[in-house]
Amino acid sequence: MNKKQKIGILGGTFDPIHLGHLILAEQLAEKLKLDKVLFIPSASPPHKELNLVSSAKDRLEMTRLAVEDNHLFSVSDIELKREGKSYTVITIQKLKELYPDSELYLLGGSDILDEIKIWREPQKIYELIRVVIGVRPGFNRIYKENEFFKKSIIVQINGLEVSSTRIREKVKKGESIKYLVPPKVEEYIKATRLFTSSNGI
Ligand code: ATP
């Protein structure tokens, strides 16, 4: 019998996608021997103000540009096609239907451990799927008492200290984002004038 395909799922606002996301996915894929990582931009992030987030089209396009040179990575618009809020628990149920013969892993960075308690049905998420958290050096100690830390598969990664918020701030101030996002994403942001004050972000 064929071995089950192992698929990692990395959801996010990806506004914009940056090298921290890509390094996280690459290192988790390597350590867990994943066959594929699906990047899933969220439609209307339940915990973020909608008017502070770039359009679905821009975020999807940047995510596509960022992953196109990695044969393990692909992008899914499953959350963008769905009406209403992007609840992770619903996405997982849908993906389990779409990939019934695969082993699915929900991937995330350590900030997920703070956020997951306010997500819809966090316990159910853990019943449905293995949750894998990429933790950067020094963060283990902080999360040792976190109930979700104990239930997750913890993988040490050499992360990059970067966030989408920081990148948006830099663009707004006219500062360089070279080496923080892939070159094609940098070009896209320049060409579309995303995150400049005229776009209101
Ligand atoms: P924002 O600054 O807008 O909150 P973000 O940079 O945290 O955005 P998200 O799209 O919210 O990016 O994150 C998607 C996933 O990537 C989450 O699981 C998050 O933990 C993880 N992540 C984000 N930045 C990093 C990083 N620098 N290193 C490792 N994982 C990261």
Side-chain angles (χ1 to χ4, degrees):
M1 213 177 82
N2 282 344
K3 249 183 77 200
K4 277 192 174 180
Q5 198 189 29
K6 294 167 87 172
I7 304 177
I9 298 162
L10 182 61
T13 319
F14 300 135
D15 191 25
I17 188 161
H18 53 66
L19 294 194
H21 298 130
L22 296 165
I23 292 173
L24 173 73
E26 178 72 10
Q27 295 199 0
L28 294 184
E30 187 174 44
K31 300 227 166 112
L32 295 161
K33 299 192 170 41
L34 301 179
D35 299 296
K36 186 181 169 96
V37 178
L38 277 182
F39 286 71
I40 307 190
S42 54
S44 63
H47 314 298
K48 294 194 183 184
E49 289 284 331
L50 193 55
N51 59 359
L52 293 179
V53 175
S54 303
S55 74
K57 178 181 160 284
D58 284 328
R59 292 182 295 113
L60 181 66
E61 187 55 24
M62 288 189 285
T63 310
R64 283 199 173 124
L65 290 169
V67 307
E68 69 183 9
D69 62 353
N70 190 324
H71 72 281
L72 283 186
F73 293 176
S74 52
V75 182
S76 164
D77 60 0
I78 182 172
E79 291 202 349
L80 298 177
K81 283 195 305 208
R82 207 167 60 221
E83 305 264 306
K85 303 260 184 207
S86 298
Y87 291 110
T88 302
V89 67
I90 295 173
T91 304
I92 294 167
Q93 282 164 331
K94 293 265 176 258
L95 289 170
K96 286 189 87 157
E97 285 165 26
L98 281 173
Y99 299 100
D101 300 321
S102 300
E103 241 171 56
L104 300 184
Y105 295 82
L106 183 71
L107 312 180
S110 50
D111 44 330
I112 293 277
L113 294 169
D114 296 318
E115 294 168 10
I116 204 161
K117 56 181 177 291
I118 56 164
W119 290 8
R120 182 187 268 197
E121 300 185 84
Q123 308 295 348
K124 176 118 182 246
I125 292 178
Y126 278 86
E127 281 162 27
L128 288 170
I129 195 168
R130 297 176 183 82
V131 180
V132 184
I133 306 289
V135 179
R136 284 174 275 174
F139 280 77
N140 260 350
R141 194 177 37 80
I142 301 172
Y143 289 105
K144 230 170 62 195
E145 298 307 320
N146 181 304
E147 64 169 306
F148 298 107
F149 179 88
K150 294 174 192 164
K151 293 205 277 189
S152 305
I153 300 172
I154 304 296
V155 176
Q156 302 295 322
I157 60 157
N158 314 105
L160 193 68
E161 204 48 64
V162 56
S163 71
S164 302
T165 306
R166 184 83 191 98
I167 289 168
R168 293 195 299 273
E169 285 167 2
K170 280 180 154 298
V171 174
K172 203 166 175 177
K173 287 196 238 159
E175 292 175 7
S176 168
I177 54 167
K178 204 176 180 65
Y179 310 124
L180 296 177
V181 298
K184 284 186 183 164
V185 173
E186 187 190 356
E187 278 165 29
Y188 186 91
I189 291 171
K190 267 196 197 132
T192 53
R193 299 184 45 78
L194 221 53
F195 315 129
T196 55
S197 42
S198 58
N199 269 319
I201 294 175

